[in-house]
Amino acid sequence: MAEKGQGDSEEAQPKGPEGTTPTLEKTENGNAQPDSPVKKEKKPGMMKSFRESIRRVGEKSPLSPNISGSKDKLGPDFRMDGNNPEIGAHAPVSPSLSIGSPVQSPAWATGGLFKKEGESADDSPVGHKTASHSRTQSDSSAIMGDSLLKMGASLRHSFRFGNKKDKASKQGQLQPVTEALSEKKLEGLKVEVEEAYQLPEIPHTPLSVMQINKLIEMEVLEEAHLNLLSLREELRRDQEGCGEDQTPMEQAKKEKDLSLLYTALREKVKDIVRDSNKLPSRNKELLVHVARIIQEEEKREEDPGGMIKGWRDIWRAAVQEGVQAKIGSVHLDSRELNSSWLAVHLGLLGKAIVEDLENVINELKDSYPPSFNVFPTYVSCYHHAICQHLKRIMQHNLDSKDCYAVLKWIINCYESEKIMGSPTLQPDMRTEDKALSFEDGFLDQIKTTYCDHLQDDLRTSLVNAISMQSDEMWKERKMPDLEGDFYHSEMHMDIMTVIKSFIVNSGRIGTDLEKKVVSVCSMELKEFPQSFEREYNQWSDTLTDLSLKATYQITYINSFTILREQMEAYRESCPLQVEGLGKEMKAVVNRLGQSLLKQFKTEIRPFLRRMMTRKWLSTDEDFQQIVKSTTNLSQLCRRMKPPYVQEFVNKVHYHMVKEYISQLMKGNYSCKNRKHEKAAAKMKEQWEELQDLFEELKSTSDWLHPVGEHLCNIIGQKNNKEIKNNLADLVKDYPDISKKHLSAVLYFRGMARGRERQVILHRLAELKRTAGHAGDKSQALFSDIQVTVNTDCLASMPLFCLPLFSSDN
């Protein structure tokens, strides 16, 4: 009974963990003390232990579907403050990959992947530990929940280096450290990853190939990489002859396994990096381990047994793949569904770029050491991916609107505040990193394609302009509208609206493109006048209403005059092309004017033929018809725009003067019996009337006025001897008059022969010889007048022979 009272009964004996019963030893003072606990359960088999380990590792993996529900499993009263009374009571045992395995899963290990400086290997659970100590570590780790545990542990693994103050920390202090880091994470605190780190002790004996591969699959990268380094070291020792029991075949197999594991690690790293911006919160911690793996492998690239080189390039390629996937995910309509499909797509693309780069700054950048230059790398990758994306777009069947959208996006939007110049990106953006870098000639190729499409569009617009004139004007015999005092057509307005829109839009992109567009439009418009003229002439040939025909001619003279003037505004941008276009426009205006003048000539020709005849001397009927036609033309000319109207009126004036005088040169009539005085008076009267008509038309050909007065003085002179005194002014004003022309005038006066006639002609020769080549050759009149009757049979006779042919003889 006394012994029972001392607590020695079987019921009072303390129980060890997991149902073990401790043995008692007597101390020197006679008190009993529990010895080390001994498990009653048998050690499970190797495969069963491996399966349980993998299952538990999977539960702790960030990919585990139980992450979101881990807190619920711990119960509603669970608190993350280290004071929960249930700690240790509900915590599961920390999983081991195998019983007696020298490596524990680092997500639950005290030391983690990146240990503090000065921390001994004995302080880490890597290696053999007592069951009670492992139990304590496992209990403390599991309480934090699946996702928070891994997050806190991995951050601790990454950032615990170079801090010797933590050397005195004990293994049982895992719980408060983890909770503190978790609270920082929950508060959104950012911790920058430093460049330097210290690799923890590499296990002497690596896990099996299957176990390492499973760790890679479950993204337990820190432990997988340590075991890969251990396996790599083991292979090196074997190759150096340390492992004498290893055959060459076994070494080759081990080398192949190592290569396959490194390949699996590389692909996993690529997957994580590629998708890091899709799930930034999930991959933020994994990227820390990815960066450390890359750094460590770069240090060991030259070591024997290296499997994969260029890890930094692999990382960059993965970033590039992620960027390309992001660009490929941006919505793109078809042209059939949306005429602005490409402009909409580029707008969405710019928005996606900004959002992605903002995520890089806010979520990913701090997971890498500074040497990775994460943000500039992403920017560079976007530049490259955008260039490739635009190249693929340009392979589509684009129109001018699509090409313009691409050029505007590249030149005006990409570097602006809308995308790379976004204020949210500027703190991390370098000025030299904003611009796209295309291959030589690619941007010029887009501009050339754009200009080619514009030329096609303009050609179509010009064809439509002719069709509209045919449908709305010609077929309906519609009179043109008046704009102000001038006949007006919408044709030139339609054409210039299209051309100006092309030039203005291209100018928004750049002056070089604007000049190119001006050149393209000028070249295409240069072909338009002839095309229009062919269509118009084909229609007008069937038109019997000459007045309506003249109205159309004046209308189109005005249209092409305006087109020429408006295109002159772009002469500075493209002088040669605009000059060529101006000449072509002037040519078509002249041809339309000549057609109108030809119509006028045809109308008055019958009446002019009856001038300077016997009937003319007795009646004014024919001349009045000429006046009427000229007056009608004068009214039409009032509807013609300057400056061509002045040129046209001068041509009409010149033609009228020339044709009127030409009737004197035909020898149709010779005044007899002093009728020359009556003829001169009539001629003077008609000449003054014509002069008034052309003054009303505002003709500037004043040099044509004196010729009528000179000829009337010669024809109406009473004394033949006085005629030679009137020749000086005639020769001065019209030096191109010849003996034939004067002979014809004298014939009309009635001087067909005689000595006085010869004296007058010789006086003309002397005056012309004295004047030489003086005079304005542009004011040539008589040189354009043909003498049709030779009335000068004695003109070449020597002067001393003239008395033989006197009137008395």
Side-chain angles (χ1 to χ4, degrees), residues 345-520:
H345 171 69
L346 294 175
L348 295 175
L349 183 59
K351 184 178 180 182
I353 293 172
V354 174
E355 291 177 352
D356 210 38
L357 292 179
E358 287 175 350
N359 281 337
V360 173
I361 294 174
N362 298 328
E363 301 290 345
L364 303 184
K365 186 184 70 172
D366 294 328
S367 297
Y368 292 94
S371 64
F372 277 72
N373 295 319
V374 177
F375 184 74
T377 299
Y378 269 87
V379 171
S380 175
C381 289
Y382 259 109
H383 289 339
H384 177 76
I386 289 296
C387 290
Q388 298 303 316
H389 184 63
L390 293 177
K391 285 182 180 179
R392 290 190 294 271
I393 286 178
M394 291 304 298
Q395 293 174 0
H396 289 72
N397 185 22
L398 304 183
D399 56 21
S400 59
K401 176 166 56 62
D402 298 332
C403 293
Y404 176 75
V406 173
L407 288 172
K408 181 181 178 182
W409 192 81
I410 293 173
I411 297 174
N412 292 349
C413 296
Y414 192 76
E415 297 181 43
S416 72
E417 293 184 357
K418 295 180 180 179
I419 305 178
M420 288 299 173
S422 172
T424 59
L425 305 181
Q426 293 319 294
D428 295 84
M429 180 72 72
R430 298 178 301 191
T431 303
E432 62 272 17
D433 290 342
K434 290 184 180 180
L436 286 170
S437 179
F438 292 105
E439 296 178 358
D440 293 341
F442 178 68
L443 196 58
D444 291 335
Q445 177 186 347
I446 301 177
K447 293 179 180 179
T448 301
T449 303
Y450 173 62
C451 290
D452 291 343
H453 285 308
L454 287 187
Q455 190 168 4
D456 293 339
D457 293 345
L458 180 57
R459 185 180 301 117
T460 301
S461 298
L462 296 176
V463 172
N464 292 337
I466 297 175
S467 298
M468 289 177 65
Q469 290 298 306
S470 176
D471 295 338
E472 298 177 4
M473 299 286 291
W474 304 343
K475 292 180 180 179
E476 301 295 331
R477 301 293 196 269
K478 179 182 176 181
M479 280 293 294
D481 297 327
L482 284 175
E483 187 179 73
D485 294 330
F486 309 112
Y487 285 129
H488 170 73
S489 168
E490 300 290 338
M491 181 180 70
H492 68 276
M493 296 180 62
D494 296 337
I495 294 172
M496 284 309 302
T497 298
V498 173
I499 292 176
K500 284 182 178 179
S501 67
F502 290 169
I503 295 174
V504 169
N505 288 336
S506 61
R508 291 170 182 165
I509 295 176
T511 55
D512 59 332
L513 183 61
E514 180 182 3
K515 292 179 180 179
K516 196 169 185 178
V517 170
V518 171
S519 175
V520 166

Side-chain angles (χ1 to χ4, degrees), residues 610 612-620 669 671 675-676 678-680 682 748:
R610 290 193 284 271
M612 314 310 167
T613 63
R614 186 185 302 275
K615 182 180 178 181
W616 165 77
L617 195 59
S618 59
T619 180
D620 287 340
Y669 182 69
C671 298
K675 290 181 180 179
H676 63 88
K678 181 181 179 180
K682 189 175 186 65
F748 178 77

